[in-house]
Structures are given as C-alpha cells and as structure tokens.
Amino acid sequence: MKLIYRRCGPLSQKTKNDIAWETLFDRHHILHHINRDGYYKISARDIRMEREPRLMCKFDHRIHLAKPFKDYKLSILPISRSEYIIGSFEIFQTVKYNNELTPTRVSIPDFIDTIKKDDLYSESSALHAAHVSGMFQRLLGLQNDVPLLQTVSGRMGSKNFHFDVNLVKGGSFPINVESAQIEIDGGYESKEDFVIVEAKKEMVKDFNIRQLFYPYRVWSNRTTKRIQPVFFTHSNDIFSFFIYTFDNADTLGSIRLVEQKDFVISDEKISIEEIVAITRNTQIVQESREIPFPQADTFERVVDLLGLLYEKNLTANDVAENYDFNIRQSYYHADVGVYLGLVEKVKKERITYFRLTQRGRTFMSMSFKQKYLALVTSIMEHAPFKVAFLEWLQNNRRLSTERCIQIIKEQNGNVNPDTSTIKRRAQSVKKWSEWIYRLTQL
C-alpha cells in the first residue's frame, strides 16, 4: 500500500526528534522514495542539518521512534559511520518479565568500598555491582572463583558484514554494513565464553535488537569463544538478565530468548506483617485539588523515574528521548511523584524540570528495605490506596475494578467522573496493591 505523507499532531505532544524528522521527511521526500524503492538512505550530514544524528537515531525502544516512523511503520538502521537506511524493518524485541521468578540473593565482597549497594542509580554502577557480586558467573554456571573479566566496553567500529532484516508485512530485506559505529555497555570474558551486555536502568517493554546483533556479528568474526548476548535491566533494585541467542547469524530477527535470571543484592526481607503494620499506623493526608490522582498502573516505573531523578533533574523530553517513556507517560509518572511528595516541578528559562524533593532524595538514599517501606508509607498516606490495599488483602488479593472505583469516589471527592479516566485510576489502585505485596515475595 502506498504511504501518504501527513504532518504530525499537536505541537505539545511532539519531541524534538518528532519535529526534526518531520522536517527531514518533507525536505527529502522520504516516503516517495520508500514507495518507489522500498527504502531510503540518508546521510549523517543531512540529519545533522536539523539535529545531531546520535540524538536523532537513538531509537532504543519502539516508543522512541519519531512520529513519522510510527505513523508509517518505519524504522532506521546505521549502515556506516556516515549513513543510515530507512524502511519498514522489524527491529524491536518485546521484553516480558516473569514476575513469578524469585531473585537469587547475592552480595558484594566485603573488601569493596567503591560500590555501594544502595547507590546504584546509573547503568555503569549497576553493571559493576553485577560483575563484582558474581551475577555473570551464575549466568554461565561458573563458580565464583572462576576468572570472568571485563574486557570490552564503549564505542568501536564494526568493519563490514551483511544480514537480512524482516519486513513489517512479511519477507526480508538485505542490509550491508560498512564500518558502522557500535557500542557495548559491557563485555565479559571467561576461558570459554564472551558475554555481550546491553544495559538499561529501568524496566522496559522492548529493545532495539541492533544493540545486541551488531556487536554479536562483529565479535563472531574476532573470537572462537561462545558468544552470549544478554539484555540487562536494573529496576526496583532487581537485576534482570535476559539471555538470548540468534538462531541464524545472518538474520537480525532470528533472536530467541533462552532464559531470564533475576538477582538482588540484599539480605533484608520485607514481611507482610510489616506492610500491614505500616498501613494501619500511617496517618492520612488531605488530598490536594491541585495534584491529579495517579494514572500510572506500573509502580515499578515510578520507582525507576525516582532513580533517574536521583542522578539529575530531567525534563519530560529528556525522559521521553532517553528512557522507555513517551512524553505523556513522563508527565503521568512524574505526577505520581508529586502526588506522593517525592517529586516537584520547577521552571528554569521557561523549561519545566522534574526534580526530587528533599523527602524523595532521602527515601532514595535509604537501604533496600527502608527505602521500600518508606515508599509504601508515602502511598498509604492516601486514603483510596490504604482502604483498597487492606480490603484487597482481606479478599484474598482480589478486588474488582468497580469496587476500586467506588473506593476512589468514597475517599477522594476531587476525581474526574469521566468513565475512561476513573477506570485508569482504579487500575492504578489495584496494581499498586499488587506491587506492594510483591515486595514481600522477594
């Protein structure tokens, strides 16, 4: 079917990349070329006319795709240091977390002073902690005293290789790569294995397969050792490793999940009795009419955003371009932080930034157990969540959406009666109860 160009939606929902790519699609008649040839090659120099390519082409997750790419089911791949190719390529792998897994408890050696288990708020610090605590040895089934050393990280050249990429409507398309730039977050080598790691500091819904496939192809030609591609996330203090293989080294879409393994660096456990005691003893605060009722049903992502803000202040655009959030989700999750008294919005030169309040910074600097009990306390200060959680427990962890809606109406008088909105808010009430209970299952 022929693709017809149309401009993006309201300016308020656009990222900087949306605006820049819309201009490039218009200027270079990109859809016309794709309709005619099936692809379009664009130079880094042409992209740089609007914005730096490293920012314009950083589509780590499907949600990052600029609006024209989403509208026409397109994606982009680097084919050299100075050129990219655009087409209807399938380049994302869905990530599904197995919440039934019980994380393996590990520890950082006592002699390590430079890695603090309660201060792992960057990808590099989380990776270093995973390495020194022996997580990678356990991934490979090795003993802790078997040598496994970090040997590779950062940017490097790919040299030349070719592969096939699957198309959205079926079939495949050949891609030739000539000395593109690749980046590896961590490469770990034992006597028999080489582990390639792509790391993210938050829970994700998917990732760009290229981030594992390009390094996999490069190092397949440089070592005879078994290569283990691993996607890694550090979210809510849980280290989740997704071990993959490529069934066909010449096909990007041949990626297959082998196993998920979870770890936690803590010997502290949270009991349901402690949660119930906090819930019953926490004083209710007055609901503010100025702060919207939460519409974010995955509380893990709220905690992830708090961790990102512990490192630095961010705008909604910063969050949308660098993490697995879009603009709307960035505001929703930041608003949850505001609702709980953990985040505030500040303006500087007409730009709104999210930053942690002193309370939020104090919470995020606590030990594992104290941090999560403090977060539970901040939730239980709000009557709808307190009432719903206690009733959820009494009903054997079951509560209908209709009952959650009723609780919200009874306990919070300033909610929007709009059906779709209040259902989303009821979902938040129910899902937050589940998150709190999962803390006791680690």
Side-chain angles (χ1 to χ4, degrees), residues 17 28 38 43-44 68 100 108 141 164 174 191 262 272 277 309 326 328 331 388 431:
N17 275 351
H28 296 284
S43 70
E100 301 301 316
I108 295 174
D164 292 331
K191 288 184 177 180
D262 286 357
I272 190 63
L309 295 177
N326 61 24
R328 180 173 294 180
Y331 278 109
K431 291 295 184 181

Side-chain angles (χ1 to χ4, degrees), residues 290-292 302 306 331-345 354-355 357 359 382:
E290 305 300 321
I291 302 172
V302 176
L306 296 175
Y331 278 109
Y332 279 165
H333 290 83
D335 283 341
V336 171
V338 175
Y339 179 80
L340 299 176
L342 307 175
V343 174
E344 58 188 354
K345 298 177 184 178
F354 307 141
R355 74 180 180 191
T357 61
R359 185 192 200 200
H382 297 270

Side-chain angles (χ1 to χ4, degrees), residues 107-121:
S107 60
I108 295 174
D110 293 338
F111 67 86
I112 298 292
D113 281 337
T114 54
I115 299 175
K116 305 298 183 184
K117 65 179 181 179
D118 301 317
D119 189 17
L120 303 177
Y121 291 113

Side-chain angles (χ1 to χ4, degrees), residues 97-305:
Y97 291 82
N98 181 357
N99 291 324
E100 301 301 316
L101 285 179
T102 300
T104 300
R105 293 183 179 272
V106 296
S107 60
I108 295 174
D110 293 338
F111 67 86
I112 298 292
D113 281 337
T114 54
I115 299 175
K116 305 298 183 184
K117 65 179 181 179
D118 301 317
D119 189 17
L120 303 177
Y121 291 113
S122 68
E123 288 177 5
S124 59
S125 64
L127 273 175
H128 292 324
H131 185 206
V132 302
S133 62
M135 294 181 198
F136 290 112
Q137 271 99 340
R138 290 172 182 262
L139 288 183
L140 298 174
L142 303 175
Q143 298 296 319
N144 281 346
D145 58 352
V146 174
L148 179 69
L149 304 177
Q150 182 171 3
T151 56
V152 174
S153 67
R155 298 175 182 174
M156 60 199 73
S158 71
K159 295 190 176 180
N160 300 344
F161 63 92
H162 68 272
F163 65 94
D164 292 331
V165 60
N166 293 336
L167 297 173
V168 171
K169 294 183 179 179
S172 61
F173 186 89
I175 301 285
N176 291 310
V177 175
E178 298 180 2
S179 299
Q181 182 172 273
I182 65 171
E183 185 169 2
I184 296 177
D185 290 330
Y188 303 87
E189 189 171 349
S190 69
K191 288 184 177 180
E192 297 180 350
D193 297 279
F194 180 52
V195 181
I196 295 171
V197 180
E198 174 62 26
K200 296 298 176 189
K201 192 57 194 68
E202 77 276 7
M203 174 180 284
V204 303
K205 295 180 180 178
D206 55 39
F207 67 91
N208 192 325
I209 302 171
R210 168 187 58 79
Q211 295 173 306
L212 285 178
F213 184 73
Y214 278 31
Y216 170 80
R217 285 299 308 270
V218 168
W219 287 98
S220 292
N221 294 327
R222 298 183 186 180
T223 179
T224 58
K225 293 183 178 182
R226 181 177 62 174
I227 298 178
Q228 296 278 348
V230 172
F231 185 77
F232 159 81
T233 66
H234 181 234
S235 169
N236 283 235
D237 291 277
I238 304 299
F239 297 75
S240 294
F241 293 83
F242 298 86
I243 306 167
Y244 289 96
T245 189
F246 289 98
D247 291 329
N248 184 340
D250 293 326
T251 304
L252 182 141
S254 68
I255 190 169
R256 175 170 56 84
L257 178 66
V258 176
E259 188 177 8
Q260 175 188 342
K261 291 187 177 182
D262 286 357
F263 300 89
V264 62
I265 302 177
S266 177
D267 54 4
E268 299 176 302
K269 295 183 179 181
I270 298 173
S271 70
I272 190 63
E273 290 78 15
E274 288 172 305
I275 296 287
V276 171
I278 284 175
T279 302
R280 295 190 185 281
N281 295 327
T282 298
Q283 295 296 311
I284 299 297
V285 299
Q286 182 69 37
E287 296 288 310
S288 170
R289 293 186 176 276
E290 305 300 321
I291 302 172
F293 193 88
Q295 294 188 61
D297 60 6
T298 307
F299 198 80
E300 288 90 344
R301 307 200 80 199
V302 176
V303 181
D304 288 342
L305 181 58

